[in-house]
Amino acid sequence: MEIHRMEAIQRGWPYEVKAMMTEVPYWDKHEMLKALKQDGIRKPRLYDMGFAHNNCGGFCVRAGQGHFINLLQKKRDLYLFHEQKELEM
């Protein structure tokens, strides 16, 4: 769903960058989760915790306010760690 980001990413790195989810067949998150279930793979726990994405352990520098509220409620230690890093900067 973020194919538009690939051009800048590929241009910005000194080596070849591939992102399989930006290539045919294009699956959305629901199709990917269905395939995991069919293969007997449990879906990532962050989805069960209410996170929209399964990356960075729940932290993301590009996250919005709702994401950070969820992070504070569900993974308080991680939230406080990153809050302290922000204050240090």
Side-chain angles (χ1 to χ4, degrees):
M1 295 177 65
E2 296 185 351
I3 293 172
H4 63 281
R5 297 175 63 192
M6 283 303 296
E7 185 179 328
I9 292 169
Q10 290 170 328
R11 194 175 49 243
W13 290 91
Y15 42 82
E16 182 180 11
V17 176
K18 295 192 94 172
M20 303 306 284
M21 291 170 28
T22 65
E23 298 174 5
V24 176
Y26 301 117
W27 284 8
D28 64 18
K29 187 187 317 179
H30 298 289
E31 291 167 314
M32 291 177 206
L33 291 173
K34 182 179 175 182
L36 288 176
K37 186 174 184 176
Q38 289 174 344
D39 289 342
I41 301 170
R42 193 178 49 159
K43 74 177 173 180
R45 70 177 184 268
L46 288 177
Y47 292 133
D48 289 332
M49 296 172 74
F51 290 93
H53 305 285
N54 180 51
N55 55 358
C56 304
F59 174 78
C60 179
V61 297
R62 298 183 64 139
Q65 291 176 341
H67 183 93
F68 282 113
I69 290 169
N70 192 41
L71 184 63
L72 177 61
Q73 292 171 345
K74 305 285 176 52
K75 299 185 82 173
R76 185 177 181 82
D77 290 343
L78 182 62
Y79 176 91
L80 293 173
F81 171 81
H82 288 290
E83 179 184 61
Q84 183 58 43
K85 292 300 178 189
E86 180 182 13
L87 292 171
E88 290 172 11
M89 285 192 255

